[in-house]
Amino acid sequence: ELSYEEFNRYNRFLDLICTDPINSLNELYEFQFSQWLFELREGFNLVFYGIGSKRKLLFSFVQDFLLPLDPHSKCIVVNGYNTEFNLRMLMREIWRVCFHKSLPTARETREACNFTHLEFMKPRNRNKRLYILLHNIDGESLRNDDLQYMLSQLVIIRQVSMICSADNLNTPLFWDASVISNFNFIWHNTSTFHSYSTEVSFKDPLSIGRSDELLGSRGARYVLSSLTGNAKSLYKNLILQQLERIDTYIGNDTKLLDN
């Protein structure tokens, strides 16, 4: 088990190890940019896996290589490791970036996805091109069967392509045959050996290095966030009173203080 401070300290230390081989390896991946672009233009979507964060590599591919060669296309970057992300946020961004208007009111995400399909099919939008750069398609907020199905429905739109990364060994188990077919992925092993400091910064610091069975911080946080303002104030007062009682009980007893 690691504390958050220990984790950050090890991360900074690892950034100083084998820097030249790691840089050479990542430069080698840059020679594959033209191959990745060819695969996208042939109608495939790309998923990148391997050890290490792939944020910088994929962002460099899109910003420095892909978009300059296709200046009329648009790109939306989605941070799947952000626990606040939901698919409706992506839909709203697609409508803002591609169609310059707001997403029509929809009762559910599936209906919003259908609206997006129909809008792309209109003659004035048939030449538009959208790339979705999705960091961590297996992020905690995306581990939902219905959400993964909706993502696969988005990328079957002819004008939409997806470039994503996956860091969970069980990621393929999220998908059934229909979803895998819709994604139409080509898999690339790009082990960058870069630290996951950005991705992990969105996790609950108390849960790093510990199993969910041993720690209830995440559940406690969700429960507390759902309380009313008055209930939160009540809990705060109870906690403060309890801390005061502990301080009074311990006093100057050095043995109790150590415990």
Side-chain angles (χ1 to χ4, degrees):
E1 295 182 5
L2 294 175
S3 70
Y4 194 56
E5 291 73 20
E6 287 175 323
F7 173 80
N8 283 329
R9 191 160 61 245
Y10 287 134
N11 251 346
R12 288 194 296 270
F13 177 67
L14 289 172
D15 287 337
L16 304 175
I17 296 176
C18 301
T19 53
D20 289 340
I22 288 174
N23 290 337
S24 298
L25 178 63
N26 283 273
E27 288 173 4
L28 181 64
Y29 293 141
E30 293 179 6
F31 285 108
Q32 300 179 33
F33 283 1
S34 56
Q35 176 190 339
W36 300 348
L37 176 60
F38 170 74
E39 291 167 352
L40 287 170
R41 289 180 171 174
E42 288 298 304
F44 295 98
N45 298 298
L46 307 180
V47 60
F48 298 85
Y49 66 98
I51 301 168
S53 172
K54 290 157 278 293
R55 284 180 64 259
K56 291 181 180 178
L57 176 66
L58 298 186
F59 197 74
S60 175
F61 167 59
V62 171
Q63 186 180 44
D64 302 331
F65 188 84
L66 177 60
L67 294 181
L69 292 176
D70 195 358
H72 298 295
S73 62
K74 304 291 184 182
C75 178
I76 294 174
V77 180
V78 178
N79 296 324
Y81 48 79
N82 185 350
T83 54
E84 302 298 322
F85 171 77
N86 61 68
L87 192 59
R88 194 171 290 272
M89 292 166 59
L90 174 59
M91 296 283 192
R92 285 198 294 265
E93 195 66 12
I94 290 174
W95 280 74
R96 185 186 69 81
V97 169
C98 295
F99 312 132
H100 307 291
K101 54 185 177 181
S102 57
L103 174 69
T105 304
R107 290 187 299 274
E108 55 183 28
T109 309
R110 196 177 296 263
E111 189 176 9
C113 189
N114 291 336
F115 287 152
T116 307
H117 270 258
L118 294 173
E119 193 67 23
F120 268 109
M121 290 172 62
K122 292 180 179 179
R124 65 175 180 270
N125 295 324
R126 286 180 181 171
N127 293 326
K128 292 187 174 180
R129 184 74 176 158
L130 173 66
Y131 295 100
I132 299 174
L133 173 56
L134 174 52
H135 298 299
N136 288 92
I137 193 171
D138 48 3
E140 288 187 29
S141 61
L142 297 174
R143 294 175 190 175
N144 177 287
D145 290 342
D146 194 50
L147 194 150
Q148 290 287 336
Y149 174 75
M150 288 293 103
L151 279 175
S152 75
Q153 287 295 303
L154 271 180
V155 297
I156 64 175
I157 300 173
R158 183 180 59 84
Q159 300 98 313
V160 178
S161 295
M162 180 184 287
I163 305 153
C164 65
S165 62
D167 289 292
N168 191 312
L169 290 171
N170 297 318
T171 297
L173 300 178
F174 296 161
W175 307 318
D176 58 22
S178 173
V179 170
I180 291 176
S181 176
N182 290 341
F183 276 136
N184 197 26
F185 277 141
I186 290 182
W187 293 73
H188 289 280
N189 184 348
T190 51
S191 293
T192 64
F193 297 98
H194 288 155
S195 71
Y196 290 103
S197 53
T198 302
E199 291 87 339
V200 175
S201 67
F202 284 79
K203 288 180 68 67
D204 177 4
L206 296 176
S207 67
I208 291 176
R210 304 179 184 183
S211 66
D212 292 339
E213 291 80 8
L214 298 177
L215 192 81
S217 65
R218 187 176 304 160
R221 184 185 62 189
Y222 289 150
V223 171
L224 290 172
S225 65
S226 66
L227 297 175
T228 63
N230 289 338
K232 288 178 182 177
S233 298
L234 176 62
Y235 271 104
K236 183 178 179 181
N237 289 330
L238 287 171
I239 290 168
L240 290 174
Q241 289 179 26
Q242 190 69 14
L243 290 172
E244 288 175 3
R245 291 185 63 185
I246 291 172
D247 289 339
T248 303
Y249 173 72
I250 291 175
N252 296 321
D253 190 322
T254 54
K255 186 176 180 181
L256 286 174
L257 279 172
D258 290 339
N259 291 334

